[in-house]
Amino acid sequence: NYISYRKVRNIVFIKGTATTADTLGTLPAGYRPSSNHVFLSAGNGTYYAKARVTNAGVIAILGATGTTTTNYELETSYPVS
Protein backbone atom coordinates (compact mmCIF):
# COMPACT_ATOMS: atom_id res chain seq x y z
CA ASN A 1 0.00 0.00 0.00
CA TYR A 2 1.15 3.52 -0.78
CA ILE A 3 -0.67 6.70 0.22
CA SER A 4 0.45 10.30 -0.24
CA TYR A 5 -1.31 13.46 0.79
CA ARG A 6 -0.82 17.19 0.47
CA LYS A 7 -2.71 20.33 1.33
CA VAL A 8 -3.03 23.32 -0.99
CA ARG A 9 -4.65 26.21 0.84
CA ASN A 10 -7.72 24.58 2.38
CA ILE A 11 -8.02 21.51 0.10
CA VAL A 12 -6.49 18.14 1.01
CA PHE A 13 -5.51 15.82 -1.87
CA ILE A 14 -5.00 12.09 -1.29
CA LYS A 15 -3.55 9.70 -3.84
CA GLY A 16 -2.22 6.18 -3.69
CA THR A 17 -2.68 2.48 -4.28
CA ALA A 18 -3.93 -0.27 -2.02
CA THR A 19 -4.36 -4.03 -2.29
CA THR A 20 -6.13 -4.66 0.99
CA ALA A 21 -9.48 -3.85 2.59
CA ASP A 22 -7.99 -2.45 5.75
CA THR A 23 -6.71 0.70 7.42
CA LEU A 24 -4.12 2.40 5.22
CA GLY A 25 -2.95 5.16 7.53
CA THR A 26 -3.93 8.15 9.65
CA LEU A 27 -3.71 11.79 8.60
CA PRO A 28 -2.34 14.40 11.02
CA ALA A 29 -4.49 17.16 12.47
CA GLY A 30 -5.11 19.90 9.94
CA TYR A 31 -5.55 17.34 7.12
CA ARG A 32 -8.69 15.64 8.46
CA PRO A 33 -12.20 16.26 7.07
CA SER A 34 -14.79 17.78 9.40
CA SER A 35 -17.05 14.75 8.73
CA ASN A 36 -16.40 11.33 7.20
CA HIS A 37 -15.47 11.52 3.51
CA VAL A 38 -16.49 8.44 1.48
CA PHE A 39 -15.40 7.83 -2.12
CA LEU A 40 -15.11 5.04 -4.71
CA SER A 41 -11.81 3.66 -5.91
CA ALA A 42 -11.19 1.89 -9.23
CA GLY A 43 -9.45 -1.46 -9.26
CA ASN A 44 -8.08 -3.85 -11.88
CA GLY A 45 -10.63 -4.61 -14.60
CA THR A 46 -14.17 -4.17 -13.32
CA TYR A 47 -13.31 -4.23 -9.62
CA TYR A 48 -13.95 -1.29 -7.30
CA ALA A 49 -13.72 -0.44 -3.62
CA LYS A 50 -15.44 1.94 -1.22
CA ALA A 51 -12.93 3.99 0.75
CA ARG A 52 -13.27 6.44 3.62
CA VAL A 53 -11.35 9.17 5.40
CA THR A 54 -12.81 9.66 8.87
CA ASN A 55 -12.91 12.89 10.85
CA ALA A 56 -10.24 11.24 13.03
CA GLY A 57 -8.00 11.03 9.93
CA VAL A 58 -8.17 7.26 9.39
CA ILE A 59 -7.90 6.25 5.71
CA ALA A 60 -9.44 2.84 5.05
CA ILE A 61 -10.89 0.60 2.37
CA LEU A 62 -14.33 -0.42 3.63
CA GLY A 63 -15.30 -3.03 1.09
CA ALA A 64 -13.90 -4.30 -2.17
CA THR A 65 -15.16 -6.43 -5.05
CA GLY A 66 -11.77 -7.83 -6.04
CA THR A 67 -9.36 -10.36 -4.62
CA THR A 68 -6.36 -9.87 -2.34
CA THR A 69 -4.20 -9.21 -5.40
CA THR A 70 -6.43 -6.48 -6.86
CA ASN A 71 -4.78 -3.05 -6.95
CA TYR A 72 -7.05 -0.11 -6.12
CA GLU A 73 -6.18 3.41 -7.21
CA LEU A 74 -7.16 5.97 -4.57
CA GLU A 75 -7.61 9.59 -5.50
CA THR A 76 -9.80 12.14 -3.75
CA SER A 77 -9.88 15.64 -2.35
CA TYR A 78 -11.95 17.54 0.22
CA PRO A 79 -11.96 20.93 1.93
CA VAL A 80 -10.67 21.52 5.46
CA SER A 81 -11.19 24.55 7.63
Side-chain angles (χ1 to χ4, degrees):
N1 298 330
Y2 171 77
I3 301 294
S4 66
Y5 59 91
R6 67 187 174 109
K7 185 165 67 170
V8 178
R9 295 192 179 107
N10 67 331
I11 305 291
V12 172
F13 297 88
I14 297 174
K15 188 173 184 176
T17 59
T19 57
T20 181
D22 203 356
T23 300
L24 305 174
T26 303
L27 296 171
Y31 288 77
R32 301 171 180 178
S34 58
S35 60
N36 291 346
H37 176 74
V38 178
F39 60 101
L40 289 177
S41 172
N44 300 353
T46 60
Y47 298 125
Y48 65 91
K50 184 170 136 182
R52 174 178 67 192
V53 182
T54 70
N55 60 355
V58 177
I59 305 168
I61 301 262
L62 302 177
T65 61
T67 65
T68 56
T69 59
T70 301
N71 290 315
Y72 296 99
E73 298 296 324
L74 305 172
E75 190 166 353
T76 191
S77 62
Y78 52 85
V80 293
S81 46

